[in-house]
């Protein structure tokens, strides 16, 4: 008999889908368009069942959305900071009021555990709007001599659909911009639900527009002449392409891209805490996290003990259905991503890595992959250099702090890093030398709306969160008056 908590009730989410007849158009100028033309299906990664049929946006849909955003921008920017703040507070509060519904829709569409959507994705999304309501009020003082960029085209990935939407929309709106956002093809539902909720919260028409579709829709948005800035989160490959096509266009650009973040364990570290750190670093959201600690670097003297404890811990991880509140990991977002993970793990083994996967039964019929450790990996191996974006961590050893730094920085990415040691001096000394936008000491995945998050090198540029993130949605303007 299973004495675990009852699974989360999915009836309200199913009701919401049914209210829309299982079909969604774009959200343009404050209402949903009638879906016409091409559509695609979004399904549950955990079962393969279809959830809804979604409009595939083309150039003319993007054009309409950009025009609505342009129409709304002047009056949105003309509001006082205080008035805009009230709208952001209303959005935050509306997210909180609908937290359960958002959490379940997100878990169904993305496949991630409802424990995470309920306790992390949704609360952090609300927090982002609350935090940026504060910045909106400071528009006239803190950001004097700056103006809104204008109309922003935003393209987001599937790994944190609602949270990435919040990271994009909250600072853009707070700083007086209007938005056209394209969610990922695999996970459009919470963006559409959020759009509906924005009407409940009283957001003026045209301030937020959502155009659904695949990469072609994203490309049409990025290349549209009517937008003033592109804010993109996704893979380095697509980011590189976007940088090329926007070059010379006058559009501002921020890119939040991939990562291959080091997780450095020194021999004086609290090893049990570090083992729990790995669980959070790589098995949270099935490792589909840009800042996942996917490369363990462990000091030689403790490597054997540490990896033994990690393997033992892995045996207690539970993989199950997203709405089961007792599980640690649920589904991978889509078959194509699952195949990529399987292929890369096979390649890792071919290249000489030692494979450990706990003997656990995976649910049938969906996209599931077990927690995986590849040890004895060479620093140049494909699995040590390429982002896997799945529940797979590789491990290597080092002898000295200098060697740890060298190994950690042996990457084309530079998003995050995590250092585990009981010596604050050693931790800070190493942290200063790491090529990363954010470094965590004795912790991992510590994100806050008040702190600018972003990368260097091929992890992109620009920041999301905090004061720095606001500046990315503004343009400086110098004023001079002749006597
Ligand atoms: P991508 O394949 O790059 O897709 C990201 C978004 O771009 C999707 O909405 C995608 O549409 C769209 N897109 C694809 N081709 C495009 C084009 N030519 N022009 C404009 N838009 C285009 O990434 P993904 O697989 O969804 O997400 C995983 C990646 O995102 C990983 O590399 C991860 O590290 C990165 N990521 C980074 C961060 C930060 S903050 N640095 C956070 C989360 C994720 P479709 O999905 O509909 O094809």
């Amino acid at each position: 008999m299973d004495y675990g908590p009852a699974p989360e009730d999915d009836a309200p989410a199913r009701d919401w889908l049914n209210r829309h007849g299982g079909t969604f158009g774009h959200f343009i100028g404050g209402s949903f368009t009638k879906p016409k033309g091409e559509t695609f299906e979004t399904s549950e990664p955990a079962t393969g069942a279809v959830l809804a049929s979604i409009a595939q946006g083309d150039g003319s849909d993007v054009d309409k959305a950009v025009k609505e955003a342009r129409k709304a921008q002047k009056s949105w920017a003309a509001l006082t900071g205080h008035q805009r703040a009230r709208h952001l507070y209303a959005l935050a509060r509306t997210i909180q009021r609908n937290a359960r519904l958002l959490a379940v829709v997100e878990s169904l569409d993305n496949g991630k555990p409802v424990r995470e959507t309920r306790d992390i994705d949704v609360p952090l999304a609300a927090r982002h709007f609350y935090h940026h309501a504060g910045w909106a009020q400071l528009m006239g003082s803190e950001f004097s001599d700056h103006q809104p960029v204008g109309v922003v085209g935003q393209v987001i990935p599937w790994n944190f659909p609602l949270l990435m939407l919040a990271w994009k929309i909250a600072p853009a709106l707070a700083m007086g911009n209007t938005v056209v956002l394209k969610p990922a093809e695999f996970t459009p539902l919470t963006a559409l639900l959020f759009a509906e909720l924005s009407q409940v919260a009283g957001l003026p028409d045209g301030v937020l527009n959502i155009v659904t579709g695949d990469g072609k829709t994203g490309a049409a948005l990025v290349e549209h002449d009517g937008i003033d800035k592109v804010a993109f989160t996704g893979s380095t490959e697509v980011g590189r392409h976007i940088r090329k096509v926007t070059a010379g266009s006058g559009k501002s650009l921020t890119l939040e891209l991939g990562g291959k973040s080091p997780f450095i364990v020194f021999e004086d570290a609290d090893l049990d805490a570090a083992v729990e750190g790995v669980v959070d670093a790589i098995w949270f959201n099935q490792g589909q996290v840009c800042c996942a600690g996917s490369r363990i670097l462990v000091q030689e003297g403790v490597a054997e003990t540490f990896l033994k404890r990690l393997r033992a811990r892995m045996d207690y991880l539970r993989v199950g259905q997203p709405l089961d509140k007792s599980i640690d990991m649920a589904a991978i977002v889509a078959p194509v991503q699952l195949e990529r993970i399987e292929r890369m793990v096979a390649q890792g083994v071919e290249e000489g890595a030692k494979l450990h996967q706990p003997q656990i039964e995976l649910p049938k019929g969906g996209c599931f992959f077990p927690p995986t450790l590849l040890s004895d990996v060479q620093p140049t191996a494909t699995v040590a250099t390429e982002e896997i974006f799945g529940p797979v961590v590789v491990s290597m050893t080092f002898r000295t702090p200098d060697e740890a730094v060298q190994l950690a920085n042996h990457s084309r990415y530079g998003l995050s890093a995590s250092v585990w040691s009981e010596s604050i001096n050693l931790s800070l000394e190493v942290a200063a030398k790491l090529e990363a936008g954010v470094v965590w000491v004795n912790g991992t995945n510590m994100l806050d709306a008040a702190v600018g998050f972003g990368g260097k090198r091929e992890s992109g540029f620009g920041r999301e969160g905090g004061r720095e993130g606001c500046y990315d949605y503004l343009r400086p303007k110098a004023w001079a008056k002749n006597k």
Side-chain angles (χ1 to χ4, degrees):
M1 194 180 288
D2 184 3
Y3 290 103
E8 185 65 44
D9 181 11
D10 64 352
R14 308 273 175 203
D15 286 349
W16 174 70
L17 291 168
N18 289 338
R19 268 207 310 281
H20 284 267
T23 308
F24 291 85
H26 310 294
F27 182 79
I28 298 177
S31 56
F32 284 101
T33 62
K34 277 226 154 47
K36 55 173 176 52
E38 250 185 90
T39 56
F40 62 94
E41 284 172 343
T42 186
S43 43
E44 287 177 52
T47 62
V50 172
L51 284 165
S53 171
I54 309 288
Q56 162 69 33
D58 59 18
S60 75
D61 299 313
V62 168
D63 191 51
K64 271 187 219 132
V66 171
K67 284 189 174 130
E68 288 297 322
R70 176 66 63 196
K71 218 161 55 180
Q73 202 266 330
K74 253 202 182 134
S75 46
W76 179 248
L79 294 181
T80 62
H82 184 69
Q83 287 168 322
R84 269 201 307 280
R86 287 175 69 118
H87 283 295
L88 277 112
Y89 279 124
L91 289 171
R93 191 71 195 106
T94 309
I95 291 175
Q96 288 182 321
R97 285 211 178 95
N98 294 276
R100 282 293 162 118
L101 177 60
L102 283 161
V104 175
V105 171
E106 191 81 308
S107 281
L108 290 175
D109 203 18
N110 170 280
K112 62 169 79 187
V114 76
R115 212 163 38 87
E116 290 178 9
T117 51
R118 184 195 61 190
D119 296 347
I120 298 169
D121 299 61
V122 176
L124 287 188
R127 159 115 176 97
H128 224 73
F129 282 97
Y130 277 126
H131 178 81
H132 285 90
W135 284 123
Q137 303 207 41
L138 296 177
M139 185 77 184
S141 51
E142 178 75 21
F143 304 109
S144 59
D145 295 341
H146 281 76
Q147 290 189 321
V149 171
V151 175
V152 186
Q154 305 183 320
V155 180
I156 56 171
W158 44 258
N159 58 343
F160 291 94
L162 181 71
L163 188 56
M164 289 299 108
L165 171 145
W167 279 25
K168 290 274 174 289
I169 292 180
L173 299 195
M175 296 296 107
N177 306 280
T178 54
V179 161
V180 180
L181 178 138
K182 190 203 85 72
E185 186 185 4
F186 293 149
T187 54
L189 290 181
T190 43
L192 295 165
L193 175 52
F194 179 83
E196 190 175 308
L197 295 176
S198 73
Q199 288 301 103
V200 175
L203 193 70
D205 294 351
V207 169
L208 166 66
N209 304 274
I210 307 280
V211 180
T212 48
D214 60 11
K216 292 195 288 296
T217 316
L221 177 57
V222 163
E223 290 171 38
H224 196 286
D225 284 342
I227 58 167
D228 303 298
K229 172 186 165 86
V230 174
F232 172 80
T233 296
S235 62
T236 293
E237 289 61 39
V238 175
R240 189 177 288 128
H241 172 77
I242 290 176
R243 193 164 192 187
K244 277 187 197 145
V245 299
T246 53
S249 68
K251 290 172 191 163
S252 305
L253 177 65
T254 41
L255 298 174
E256 300 285 359
L257 309 175
K260 189 78 185 175
S261 299
F263 185 102
I264 308 170
V265 184
F266 285 99
E267 58 194 6
D268 70 336
D270 175 340
L271 295 188
D272 290 327
V275 164
E276 284 313 310
V278 174
V279 173
D280 186 30
I282 194 67
W283 294 310
F284 164 55
N285 200 19
Q286 295 67 246
Q288 303 166 130
V289 180
C290 54
C291 52
S294 52
R295 281 189 297 149
I296 297 173
L297 312 177
V298 53
Q299 199 157 13
E300 254 180 26
V302 293
E304 210 181 308
T305 314
F306 178 71
L307 293 176
K308 194 168 157 213
R309 288 192 204 174
L310 180 60
R311 288 190 196 99
R313 178 69 179 89
M314 288 169 74
D315 292 343
Y316 288 94
L317 291 172
R318 295 190 57 190
V319 181
Q321 293 296 334
L323 298 190
D324 176 345
K325 284 175 265 182
S326 68
I327 51 118
D328 300 295
M329 281 170 54
I332 303 296
V333 75
V336 55
Q337 183 65 12
L338 179 63
E339 282 155 25
R340 178 185 152 81
I341 296 166
E342 287 168 344
R343 213 171 42 241
M344 289 200 70
V345 169
Q347 187 172 0
V349 173
E350 258 168 48
E351 289 180 12
K354 230 193 266 167
L355 172 73
H356 178 77
Q357 290 173 329
Q359 296 306 303
I360 48 177
E361 206 176 317
L362 297 178
K364 304 267 177 310
C367 297
F368 293 93
F369 196 82
T372 299
L373 166 68
L374 292 170
S375 49
D376 295 351
V377 167
Q378 294 302 315
T380 51
T382 313
V383 286
T385 54
E386 295 296 313
E387 187 179 38
I388 300 176
F389 224 55
V392 183
V393 66
V394 303
S395 81
M396 289 164 261
T397 58
F398 66 87
R399 290 198 183 119
T400 62
D402 279 349
E403 208 180 303
V405 169
Q406 213 176 12
L407 266 179
N409 290 342
H410 178 73
S411 172
R412 65 189 174 112
Y413 297 113
L415 192 53
S416 66
S418 152
V419 179
W420 295 75
S421 164
E422 290 301 295
S423 158
I424 192 66
N425 288 343
L426 175 65
S427 303
L428 294 181
E429 195 184 306
V430 167
K433 294 177 185 161
L434 295 174
E435 297 284 349
V438 53
V439 181
W440 297 301
V441 174
N442 293 335
T444 183
N445 286 338
M446 290 184 280
L447 306 167
D448 193 280
V451 180
F453 180 85
K456 56 199 289 191
R457 296 174 160 180
E458 293 188 29
S459 292
F461 51 83
R463 290 293 178 268
E464 297 193 293
R467 182 188 279 104
E468 310 93 289
C470 291
Y471 278 118
D472 277 328
Y473 283 96
L474 292 168
R475 276 191 182 142
K477 179 134 186 184
W479 303 89
K481 189 171 171 286
N482 208 352
K483 283 188 258 165

